[in-house]
Amino acid sequence: MKIAAEQIASVLGGEIVGNPAVEVNTLAKIEEGTEGSISFLANPKYAHHIYTTKASVVIVNKTFEPEHPVSATLIKVDEAYKAFSKLLEYYNQVKLMKSGIEQPSVISEGVEYGEDLYLGSFCYIGKNVKIGNNVKIYPNTFIGDNAQIGDNTVLFAGVRIYSETVIGQNCTLHAGVIVGSDGFGFAPNEDGTFNKVPQIGNVIIEDNVEIGAASTIDRATLGSTIIRKGVKLDNQIQIAHNVEIGENTVIASQTGVAGSTKIGKNCMIGGQVGIVGHITIGDNVRIQAQSGVTKNLENGAAVQGSPALPHSDFLKSYSYFKNFSKIVSDIDSIKKKINE
Amino acid sequence: MKIAAEQIASVLGGEIVGNPAVEVNTLAKIEEGTEGSISFLANPKYAHHIYTTKASVVIVNKTFEPEHPVSATLIKVDEAYKAFSKLLEYYNQVKLMKSGIEQPSVISEGVEYGEDLYLGSFCYIGKNVKIGNNVKIYPNTFIGDNAQIGDNTVLFAGVRIYSETVIGQNCTLHAGVIVGSDGFGFAPNEDGTFNKVPQIGNVIIEDNVEIGAASTIDRATLGSTIIRKGVKLDNQIQIAHNVEIGENTVIASQTGVAGSTKIGKNCMIGGQVGIVGHITIGDNVRIQAQSGVTKNLENGAAVQGSPALPHSDFLKSYSYFKNFSKIVSDIDSIKKKINE
Amino acid sequence: MKIAAEQIASVLGGEIVGNPAVEVNTLAKIEEGTEGSISFLANPKYAHHIYTTKASVVIVNKTFEPEHPVSATLIKVDEAYKAFSKLLEYYNQVKLMKSGIEQPSVISEGVEYGEDLYLGSFCYIGKNVKIGNNVKIYPNTFIGDNAQIGDNTVLFAGVRIYSETVIGQNCTLHAGVIVGSDGFGFAPNEDGTFNKVPQIGNVIIEDNVEIGAASTIDRATLGSTIIRKGVKLDNQIQIAHNVEIGENTVIASQTGVAGSTKIGKNCMIGGQVGIVGHITIGDNVRIQAQSGVTKNLENGAAVQGSPALPHSDFLKSYSYFKNFSKIVSDIDSIKKKINE
């Protein structure tokens, strides 16, 4: 898949300086460029690399003027980084253009699916599953009975979708994601044993959601665990039963949300955060990494610590914690002084 | 699968108020009830929903007397929540009534299995594996050589059981659970590299254990990692080599237990807790979420913090931590005063 | 697979005391030994077990002289523990001696592989994958297009290798490991939604790396996420895009490293640690469990806490935190005194 600089310039609406016929077949960082690769220069801090890079083509900002000779062909665009991203996306889509139904795979009775399905080998599609158009399902994936998968959604290798799960359009679930496993609900008996509380709700994932590798989302006890549109979850995140996560909220890896908690829109939640069950987190909330949230949070709140405090309060208290020795020695000095 | 209110009432030993012939085919929360659904009302706080719900049938406490007209058929029972749970369980079991051996699947030489096995497609059963009666193994599951699985145990899609693992009766392992992977044991060499310490023990999981999605349990270096009967583990829990967890202990998600630690019976351990290796935790211990346990704990201990302190000590210290600014300004006032 | 004591003694270069013809077929802890098992005694603390063990053979230190009659056959060696480890390794290797290509499995066009390949059923090998000699790939494993796997590497059941990943020689990846999933990169739009930043780099894992069950390693946005030779990762570890981990660094379970952070050689990193993105950690650094590292660390640094402080500072501050009630009551006494 070789492509000429002039073709790329035309896709990006850019202007060529250098040889328009030079061809590339891979992408690289500017400092790691090799012959046949295309790179970009956006940050002036890295401008020195352009004089030594071996990349054949470099995308630069329109305003960039080299101070020394440059061997690479340049493509000048309004915003080099955005243009390169567009290119990456294109490149990626090409790589994702798998289609067809590979054997062996199992499509159970009552399954419906749209156009351009890719179904990898060793995939198992349960009864009455509905799959939209242009869905890509990589090998070794399991989809339980009655699940639904919207258009343009990609399930990477080894995803596990339990029965009754509903997934929207344009979603990406990475390898090892598990959706719809039982919530953790047990009723204690007098002898110390537990009875399982059956978990017969489901999970609903709306459109444009991305879920990172090995994250787990439990089905609701009753009703639905809901991931609203545009939510982005990193790897190894745990979402318990009956949780609801609002639109466009972003959560970093290894965070866990306990049962029945409701999180608002547009929140930014750091990694390794724990959020207790049965609370309500407002919109636009920011939670620092490793925090433990134990109480409702208002819209726009920013918190840190375990248990979490308002962010600035935590920072102040922690700065004193750091100097605790000094504070204690002050107290000792005072004691001595007043006992004189 | 439609079922009449009178049949349900008879299963639950309840009394019908309304139309005994009305049929339902799904379960719903009372506020989300639709025609054809059955719901329940246990908490008087939600009693107002019963006058507006569209559910066809609602299970209520015997003592409940409506103050306004109710369109749903009521089933009056001693305890509405328990009755509904029973129903859920029934409903769930029906859904779980899969059976038969699906193709393609691999059953290696020397495998023995009992009645009513469900073996999903793309399952791999290693040599000499012993499987009891009424075991359900969902697609894409792997069971290594010489493993044993007891009666009525369910392995959901993509479970990985390494060789020599022993699993008891009535266990449920959710999707992505991994049992019997190597413990993390390496002996340092003088040049900074490490030699692997072979891990040739196994894992024993006793009866009535439930393990949540994507949890991992390492095999013992020598001997066995042991999960005692009735233990309930949530999702994404990590149990290291040679750990033992006592009967009916419950652990919330994303908690990790390091090597050779022994945990007692009937403990309640929160989420994202870390427990160091080679310690002993007594019976009936409570560990708050995100705690880090670094020392032996006596029977009945309750701890919080990282490193963990007695729970009430932690709460006291943390309340001062929150007010650290105030404390420091007190000290500053004192300093000023005594220097006057 | 029965083996006589004299054969074992000859492998280990040891001296037999007792019956050289006694046969064993399993390994056991000394206190759990049964007839037909071999065990070892290294720590004098456990010497009393040797007089009661039912193990048929026990490996002991050359210097060990029983004070009472011993029924087991003894094999005397320079270092009992090392000798037993060697034996375990041997035993383990025998168990790992799987080979051959099992059906059904998929080997796509352009795949090359060396001698003694084991490829389990339901494995999917993508296009142009290169596999070295003596590679063992357990069932239900997925390897994406253009990936490379070096000699003697073992992939346990259900490993997921995305396209373009490069894995070196003598590596072990446990069940459920995911390598090469997309990094977590999204560019915010003005309306609160996000655009995905395509992730088109890859992951490079050098030689002699071991990765624990269910760990996830994201591909680089551009360039490579790199795990240097000899690195040992425990279970459920999360390595984000563009991270680099130096030679022989060891990381305990459930730790997460955020994007573009570079970690040096020979570090020891505890469990449940979080490390923020875009920082540099030197060589020989020690990070205590559950710490949160937010800043660059020099070679040889030792830290603890969230956010992390120098280890001894943290311990001092935390010891005061524990005694916070006492400190506050001191302050109250002072206040009373100076207000008299």
Side-chain angles (χ1 to χ4, degrees):
Chain A
M1 195 181 79
K2 289 201 167 184
I3 185 163
E6 63 192 340
Q7 286 174 283
I8 297 169
S10 122
V11 167
L12 301 178
E15 182 204 339
I16 289 203
V17 180
N19 177 5
V22 65
E23 288 184 325
V24 295
N25 64 356
T26 187
L27 302 97
K29 281 185 174 171
I30 190 164
E31 66 268 41
E32 291 171 14
T34 53
E35 204 182 327
S37 71
I38 180 166
S39 191
F40 77 106
L41 170 64
N43 189 334
K45 210 170 111 186
Y46 300 117
H48 57 284
H49 287 307
I50 206 164
Y51 308 109
T52 54
T53 185
K54 286 178 184 145
S56 300
V57 180
V58 181
I59 301 172
V60 298
N61 289 330
K62 206 158 53 180
T63 55
F64 176 74
E65 288 299 338
E67 298 170 0
H68 306 287
V70 168
S71 67
T73 291
L74 305 184
I75 299 179
K76 292 185 150 192
V77 297
D78 282 351
E79 289 184 72
Y81 182 73
K82 275 208 176 162
F84 191 68
S85 284
K86 244 167 104 181
L87 201 68
L88 296 196
E89 203 163 1
Y90 172 75
Y91 182 75
N92 239 15
Q93 273 171 7
V94 168
K95 291 205 303 177
L96 293 174
M97 277 306 167
K98 291 190 175 281
S99 69
I101 296 179
E102 298 177 349
Q103 293 306 327
S105 55
V106 170
I107 299 181
S108 305
E109 54 176 303
V111 172
E112 294 173 16
Y113 57 87
E115 295 177 359
D116 295 320
L117 174 66
Y118 169 58
L119 186 68
S121 298
F122 316 124
C123 283
Y124 185 101
I125 312 297
K127 290 175 188 161
N128 305 316
V129 169
K130 306 277 171 280
I131 297 175
N133 292 314
N134 195 34
V135 168
K136 311 297 178 195
I137 303 176
Y138 279 69
N140 304 95
T141 291
F142 169 84
I143 303 181
D145 299 345
N146 308 312
Q148 298 175 32
I149 315 285
D151 296 347
N152 307 313
T153 282
V154 180
L155 308 182
F156 280 100
V159 165
R160 313 292 173 204
I161 306 294
Y162 279 62
S163 64
E164 323 294 334
T165 299
V166 177
I167 299 180
Q169 301 186 357
N170 305 310
C171 292
T172 302
L173 274 63
H174 278 282
V177 166
I178 296 165
V179 181
S181 40
D182 280 1
F184 194 62
F186 298 92
N189 297 316
E190 284 183 13
D191 64 354
T193 64
F194 292 88
N195 281 337
K196 183 174 174 71
V197 177
Q199 305 288 314
I200 66 159
N202 74 341
V203 177
I204 296 174
I205 295 174
E206 296 187 348
D207 299 342
N208 304 317
V209 169
E210 181 149 347
I211 304 179
S215 284
T216 55
I217 302 178
D218 281 349
R219 71 196 308 113
T221 308
L222 204 60
S224 301
T225 303
I226 303 176
I227 312 295
R228 295 279 177 212
K229 64 184 180 186
V231 166
K232 310 297 176 191
L233 303 182
D234 200 350
N235 296 356
Q236 297 190 29
I237 283 173
Q238 151 67 0
I239 306 295
H241 48 173
N242 294 84
V243 166
E244 180 178 337
I245 300 184
E247 289 180 22
N248 300 319
T249 281
V250 174
I251 306 184
S253 74
Q254 298 183 318
T255 283
V257 183
S260 299
T261 280
K262 194 175 164 178
I263 297 178
K265 299 178 193 178
N266 305 113
C267 297
M268 306 280 284
I269 301 178
Q272 298 183 336
V273 166
I275 302 179
V276 300
H278 298 276
I279 64 171
T280 300
I281 309 277
D283 299 338
N284 298 302
V285 167
R286 282 167 180 265
I287 304 175
Q288 297 296 310
Q290 295 191 325
S291 296
V293 180
T294 57
K295 291 177 183 165
N296 292 346
L297 293 177
E298 308 266 308
N299 291 347
V303 299
Q304 184 169 8
S306 172
L309 308 177
H311 189 204
S312 57
D313 291 2
F314 176 84
L315 291 180
K316 227 178 289 173
S317 286
Y318 201 76
S319 73
Y320 293 124
F321 175 81
K322 277 203 273 193
N323 290 310
F324 219 148
S325 296
K326 169 77 176 59
I327 290 165
V328 169
S329 89
D330 275 9
I331 295 171
D332 289 344
S333 303
I334 292 171
K335 282 204 234 166
K336 272 192 201 141
K337 191 151 185 177
I338 65 175
N339 285 329
E340 268 168 9
Chain B
M1 194 181 78
K2 289 200 167 186
I3 185 163
E6 64 191 339
Q7 286 175 283
I8 296 170
S10 122
V11 167
L12 300 178
E15 181 203 341
I16 288 202
V17 182
N19 176 6
V22 65
E23 287 183 327
V24 294
N25 64 355
T26 187
L27 302 98
K29 282 184 173 171
I30 191 164
E31 66 268 42
E32 291 169 16
T34 53
E35 204 182 327
S37 71
I38 179 166
S39 190
F40 77 106
L41 170 64
N43 189 334
K45 209 170 110 187
Y46 300 117
H48 57 284
H49 288 305
I50 207 164
Y51 309 109
T52 54
T53 186
K54 287 177 182 145
S56 300
V57 179
V58 182
I59 301 172
V60 298
N61 289 330
K62 205 157 53 178
T63 55
F64 175 74
E65 288 298 337
E67 299 169 2
H68 307 286
V70 168
S71 68
T73 292
L74 303 185
I75 300 179
K76 291 185 152 195
V77 297
D78 283 350
E79 290 184 72
Y81 182 72
K82 274 208 176 163
F84 192 67
S85 284
K86 243 167 107 180
L87 201 67
L88 295 196
E89 202 163 1
Y90 171 76
Y91 182 73
N92 239 15
Q93 272 171 7
V94 168
K95 290 206 303 178
L96 291 174
M97 277 307 167
K98 291 190 174 281
S99 70
I101 295 178
E102 298 177 348
Q103 293 306 326
S105 55
V106 170
I107 299 181
S108 305
E109 53 176 304
V111 171
E112 294 172 15
Y113 56 88
E115 296 177 359
D116 295 321
L117 174 66
Y118 169 59
L119 185 69
S121 297
F122 315 125
C123 283
Y124 185 101
I125 312 297
K127 291 176 188 159
N128 305 315
V129 169
K130 306 277 172 281
I131 298 174
N133 292 314
N134 194 34
V135 169
K136 311 297 178 194
I137 302 175
Y138 278 69
N140 304 96
T141 291
F142 168 84
I143 303 181
D145 299 346
N146 309 311
Q148 298 174 32
I149 314 285
D151 296 348
N152 307 313
T153 283
V154 180
L155 307 182
F156 280 100
V159 165
R160 313 292 173 206
I161 306 295
Y162 279 62
S163 63
E164 324 293 333
T165 299
V166 178
I167 299 180
Q169 300 186 358
N170 305 310
C171 292
T172 302
L173 274 62
H174 278 281
V177 166
I178 297 165
V179 182
S181 40
D182 280 0
F184 195 60
F186 298 92
N189 297 316
E190 285 184 10
D191 65 354
T193 63
F194 292 87
N195 281 337
K196 182 173 175 71
V197 177
Q199 304 289 314
I200 65 160
N202 74 341
V203 177
I204 297 174
I205 295 174
E206 296 187 347
D207 299 342
N208 303 317
V209 169
E210 181 149 346
I211 303 178
S215 285
T216 55
I217 302 178
D218 282 348
R219 69 197 308 114
T221 307
L222 204 61
S224 301
T225 303
I226 304 176
I227 312 295
R228 295 279 177 213
K229 64 184 180 184
V231 166
K232 310 297 178 192
L233 302 182
D234 199 350
N235 296 356
Q236 297 190 27
I237 283 173
Q238 151 67 1
I239 306 296
H241 48 174
N242 295 83
V243 165
E244 181 178 336
I245 301 184
E247 289 180 21
N248 300 318
T249 281
V250 173
I251 305 183
S253 74
Q254 297 182 319
T255 283
V257 184
S260 299
T261 280
K262 194 174 165 179
I263 298 177
K265 299 178 194 179
N266 305 113
C267 297
M268 306 281 282
I269 300 178
Q272 297 183 336
V273 166
I275 303 179
V276 300
H278 298 275
I279 65 171
T280 301
I281 310 277
D283 299 338
N284 299 302
V285 167
R286 284 168 179 264
I287 304 175
Q288 297 296 312
Q290 294 191 325
S291 296
V293 180
T294 58
K295 290 176 183 165
N296 293 346
L297 293 177
E298 307 267 308
N299 290 347
V303 299
Q304 184 169 8
S306 171
L309 307 179
H311 189 204
S312 57
D313 291 1
F314 176 83
L315 290 180
K316 227 179 288 172
S317 285
Y318 201 75
S319 72
Y320 293 124
F321 175 81
K322 276 204 273 194
N323 289 311
F324 219 147
S325 296
K326 168 76 176 60
I327 291 166
V328 169
S329 89
D330 275 9
I331 296 172
D332 289 342
S333 303
I334 293 172
K335 281 204 238 170
K336 272 191 202 140
K337 191 152 186 177
I338 65 175
N339 285 329
E340 269 167 9
Chain C
M1 196 182 76
K2 290 201 170 185
I3 185 163
E6 62 192 338
Q7 286 174 282
I8 296 170
S10 122
V11 167
L12 300 178
E15 184 204 338
I16 289 200
V17 182
N19 176 6
V22 65
E23 288 183 328
V24 295
N25 64 356
T26 187
L27 302 98
K29 281 184 174 173
I30 190 163
E31 66 267 43
E32 292 169 14
T34 52
E35 204 182 327
S37 71
I38 179 166
S39 190
F40 76 106
L41 169 66
N43 189 335
K45 209 169 113 187
Y46 300 116
H48 57 284
H49 288 306
I50 206 163
Y51 308 109
T52 54
T53 186
K54 287 177 182 145
S56 300
V57 180
V58 181
I59 300 172
V60 298
N61 290 330
K62 206 156 52 176
T63 55
F64 175 73
E65 288 298 339
E67 299 169 1
H68 307 286
V70 168
S71 67
T73 292
L74 304 185
I75 300 179
K76 293 187 152 192
V77 296
D78 283 349
E79 290 183 71
Y81 182 72
K82 274 208 176 162
F84 192 68
S85 284
K86 243 168 107 180
L87 201 68
L88 296 195
E89 202 164 1
Y90 172 75
Y91 182 74
N92 238 15
Q93 272 171 7
V94 168
K95 290 206 304 179
L96 291 174
M97 276 307 167
K98 291 189 175 280
S99 69
I101 295 179
E102 298 177 348
Q103 292 306 326
S105 55
V106 169
I107 298 181
S108 304
E109 53 176 303
V111 172
E112 294 173 15
Y113 56 87
E115 296 177 359
D116 295 320
L117 175 66
Y118 169 59
L119 186 69
S121 298
F122 315 124
C123 282
Y124 185 100
I125 312 297
K127 289 176 189 160
N128 305 316
V129 169
K130 306 278 171 281
I131 298 175
N133 293 314
N134 195 34
V135 169
K136 311 296 178 195
I137 303 176
Y138 278 70
N140 303 97
T141 291
F142 168 83
I143 303 181
D145 299 345
N146 308 312
Q148 298 175 32
I149 314 285
D151 297 348
N152 308 313
T153 282
V154 180
L155 308 182
F156 281 99
V159 165
R160 313 292 173 205
I161 306 294
Y162 279 63
S163 63
E164 323 294 334
T165 299
V166 178
I167 299 180
Q169 300 186 357
N170 305 310
C171 292
T172 302
L173 274 63
H174 278 282
V177 166
I178 296 165
V179 182
S181 40
D182 280 1
F184 195 60
F186 298 92
N189 296 316
E190 285 184 11
D191 65 353
T193 64
F194 292 88
N195 281 336
K196 182 174 174 72
V197 177
Q199 305 288 315
I200 65 160
N202 75 340
V203 177
I204 297 174
I205 295 175
E206 296 187 348
D207 300 342
N208 304 317
V209 169
E210 182 149 345
I211 303 179
S215 285
T216 55
I217 302 178
D218 282 348
R219 70 196 309 112
T221 308
L222 204 60
S224 301
T225 303
I226 304 176
I227 311 295
R228 296 278 176 212
K229 63 184 183 187
V231 166
K232 310 297 178 192
L233 302 182
D234 200 350
N235 296 357
Q236 297 191 27
I237 283 173
Q238 150 68 0
I239 306 294
H241 49 172
N242 295 84
V243 165
E244 180 178 337
I245 301 183
E247 289 180 22
N248 301 319
T249 281
V250 174
I251 306 184
S253 76
Q254 297 183 318
T255 283
V257 183
S260 298
T261 280
K262 193 174 165 178
I263 298 178
K265 300 178 194 178
N266 306 112
C267 297
M268 306 281 282
I269 301 177
Q272 298 184 335
V273 166
I275 302 179
V276 299
H278 298 275
I279 65 172
T280 301
I281 309 277
D283 300 337
N284 299 301
V285 166
R286 284 169 178 263
I287 304 175
Q288 298 296 311
Q290 294 192 323
S291 296
V293 180
T294 59
K295 290 176 183 165
N296 293 346
L297 293 177
E298 307 266 307
N299 290 346
V303 299
Q304 185 169 7
S306 172
L309 307 178
H311 188 203
S312 57
D313 291 3
F314 176 84
L315 290 180
K316 228 178 286 171
S317 285
Y318 201 76
S319 72
Y320 294 125
F321 175 81
K322 277 203 273 193
N323 289 311
F324 220 148
S325 294
K326 169 76 176 58
I327 290 166
V328 169
S329 90
D330 275 9
I331 295 172
D332 289 343
S333 303
I334 293 171
K335 282 204 238 169
K336 272 191 201 139
K337 189 151 188 179
I338 64 176
N339 285 328
E340 268 166 10

